[in-house]
Structure formats: C-alpha cells, structure tokens
Amino acid sequence: MNTLLKGKTILIMGVANKWSIAWGIAEACLDAGANLIFTYQGERNLSNLQKLTADLPNISLYKCDVTEDQDIIDLFHNIGNDYGTIHGIVHSIAFAKKEELEGAYYNTSREGYHLAQDISAYSLVAVSRHARPLMKDGGSILTLTYIGAERAVQNYNVMGVAKSALESSVRYLAADLGPENIRVNSISAGPIKTLAAQGVKGFGSILKVYEEKVPLRRAVTQREVGDTAVFLLSHMSRGITGENIHVDAGFHAMGLL
Ligand code: NAP
C-alpha cells in the first residue's frame, strides 16, 4: 500500500478480464489509494467487469466503444456530471483483425489498416480531446504500446504501424496539453499473455525468447506495468511528458536476439 494516488480519480479503459494489462494497472492504482472509474466496450465485458469490481467501494462503470464518437462524448459528459474532475486516464485499448496479425505486412487490407489505426491510435486523440475539460487540476494520460512500433516484429504487422502512430500521437498530445499541465506518456510493455496478445501468431515463441535471452531472463507481469503506471499517473513523474517507458525486462536494449 502507498498513497501516491490518494485523492485522485483515474479512468481506466480496456479491462476485458483479470489478465488484462489494464486490470494490473487498476490493482496497482487501488493499492496507491486512487478512486477508479472503468469503461467497457459492450455488454460482453460488462459482466466480467462487474464481477472483478464487485467488492470495490465507489466504483463506476460506463460504456464506451471507442469507434463511436457519441460514446466518447457521452462518457465524458456523464463523468463530468458524476465526478466533475478527473486526474488520470489509462488508455489500454487496441484491436486488429486476427488475419492481419500473421504473414506478410504487405497483405494488410485497407479496411484492416483503418480499423487498427482507428481503435488503437486515433481513439487516444479523441479521448484526450474530450477528457481535457475535466482535467481542471492538470492530469496524466497514459497509453500502452509495444516494441513493434519501433522495430519490425514478425506477425505484429498492422498493429506495429498503429502503435507507431500511437507513440507519435503521445508526443503531439504532450505538446498540445503540456501548457495545461496535462502530461501524456506511454508504457512499452513486454509480451504478456492476454486475450489481445494471443491474437498475434507465434506469441508463445516470443515469450520463450524472453525467458532465455533478455537481461532479466523472464517476461514482465501486469503488476509490473501497473507499478510503472502508478508512477506516471502520480506527482512523482511530474517532470515527464511525451515519454515512452519500456517495461520489458530490458528487451529494448538488446540487439538482434
Ligand atoms: P486485452 O485484455 O484484450 O485488452 C484489450 C482491450 O481493448 C479490451 O478490453 C478490449 O475490449 C478493448 N477494446 C478493443 N476494441 C475496443 C473498442 N472499439 N472500444 C473500446 N475498447 C476496445 O489485452 P491487453 O494485452 O491487456 O491489451 C491492452 C493494451 O496493451 C493494448 O493497447 C495492447 O496493444 C497493449 N500491449 C499489450 C501487450 C501484451 O503482450 N499483452 C504488450 C504491449 C502492449 P473487448 O475485450 O470488449 O474487445
């Protein structure tokens, strides 16, 4: 337990189940004393989220499919009415069609390209725009990315390109929102076995490389990402914006493995 986020209201977007990175972040935020608000994409995940949060005090759940502008508008309108001010946002959302996450990148369809960009990168822009009026005391916006944005990672394909756009968006949003003391950063997480990750062909063999070759000789956990998220959401990181922090057991520091 710590008090790094005591008195702060944090919106968490992207909990599908207890394996989600967003859930690891939520647990770390709770241990740091935060008040949490969650979104869910559709009814399918509502019951998961209701079960996960059943024992937590003062939790609110709002629907938000980030492909729907009206959902994003309604989300921040309702949070504004219910809470007035928020201090942080965790954007832990991405999607690409399974068939685009294998084989050659040049086979990416126009529709698949647009879909991956829309959900995985543009959504951060729209969310930041509508969240801004509620971050009256300044704030911290955080998103999740992967090394496939910086390097060509086999099978990551269209998602790697979407993550590059996301990381670039972090820098532009940081420039826009910095004067309002709203910081925008990303965490580049190592591979973690989640629903989304299992859509990438050959995901299991990536985990094996981690165990054998990266500096810490293991994969990272949701909770390790969560602890870095608490740092980025808290006063402790007040001088950091437009940054990408690798929580990947040191993989990014290595040459070709
Ligand atoms: P996850 O548990 O499957 O979470 C992905 C979330 O995105 C789900 O809650 C999903 O909701 C949501 N989502 C997809 N489309 C959406 C939409 N249109 N509107 C609203 N929400 C939508 O997988 P995860 O691995 O924790 O992924 C979280 C983030 O971490 C992603 O950005 C991912 O790229 C990133 N990341 C993951 C890894 C890894 O190895 N796992 C590594 C680095 C970065 P539904 O379930 O309802 O579709």
Side-chain angles (χ1 to χ4, degrees):
M1 280 290 278
N2 61 73
T3 54
L4 283 171
L5 299 180
K6 195 168 186 301
K8 293 201 189 282
T9 302
I10 311 285
L11 171 64
I12 310 260
M13 307 181 77
V15 176
N17 52 45
K18 67 177 178 184
W19 294 283
S20 294
I21 292 177
W23 183 246
I25 295 175
E27 289 187 317
C29 288
L30 286 166
D31 284 351
N35 308 314
L36 296 186
I37 305 171
F38 293 90
T39 62
Y40 57 94
Q41 180 187 182
E43 298 305 315
R44 187 168 59 89
N45 276 347
L46 176 57
S47 62
N48 274 348
L49 204 47
Q50 281 170 331
K51 278 182 214 146
L52 279 173
T53 58
D55 295 333
L56 304 178
N58 309 319
I59 294 290
S60 299
L61 313 180
Y62 298 91
K63 179 185 177 302
C64 184
D65 177 339
V66 294
T67 61
E68 301 289 339
D69 283 334
Q70 196 58 49
D71 271 20
I72 299 175
I73 292 166
D74 291 347
L75 171 68
F76 289 103
H77 176 78
N78 292 332
I79 293 176
N81 284 343
D82 297 346
Y83 289 84
T85 302
I86 58 173
H87 305 95
I89 297 177
V90 176
H91 171 279
S92 187
I93 288 174
F95 182 79
K97 292 184 192 178
K98 200 170 166 52
E99 62 266 31
E100 312 270 11
L101 298 172
E102 61 178 78
Y105 171 60
Y106 57 65
N107 283 327
T108 303
S109 68
R110 189 183 300 273
E111 186 211 344
Y113 185 96
H114 286 161
L115 185 67
Q117 286 282 341
D118 187 16
I119 296 178
S120 316
Y122 177 72
S123 60
L124 180 72
V125 181
V127 162
S128 299
R129 180 167 67 250
H130 292 289
R132 180 180 157 244
L134 301 188
M135 293 189 145
K136 296 166 197 147
D137 306 334
S140 174
I141 299 173
L142 179 58
T143 189
L144 272 298
T145 185
Y146 182 59
I147 193 81
E150 301 167 63
R151 303 188 204 163
V153 172
Q154 195 176 19
N155 296 323
Y156 202 59
N157 296 354
V158 70
M159 186 57 83
V161 175
K163 292 296 191 193
S164 297
L166 180 74
E167 290 182 14
S168 185
S169 294
V170 164
R171 292 185 284 272
Y172 279 92
L173 291 167
D176 283 349
L177 298 173
E180 296 166 45
N181 197 28
I182 299 172
R183 300 181 293 109
V184 188
N185 294 292
S186 56
I187 294 177
S188 185
I192 297 175
K193 206 167 170 184
T194 63
L195 262 186
Q198 287 174 82
V200 181
K201 193 167 184 224
F203 177 76
S205 52
I206 299 178
L207 278 180
K208 207 162 177 314
V209 168
Y210 266 69
E211 279 158 21
E212 291 169 1
K213 296 191 173 160
V214 304
L216 296 182
R217 296 290 192 276
R218 61 174 178 82
V220 294
T221 64
Q222 283 89 335
R223 183 53 191 249
E224 286 172 325
V225 176
D227 287 343
T228 299
V230 167
F231 164 70
L232 285 172
L233 291 165
S234 80
H235 181 70
M236 298 295 282
S237 60
R238 61 195 175 281
I240 299 176
T241 193
E243 185 60 276
N244 182 33
I245 298 186
H246 294 85
V247 181
D248 67 352
F251 178 90
H252 71 282
M254 304 297 285
L256 204 57
L257 293 173

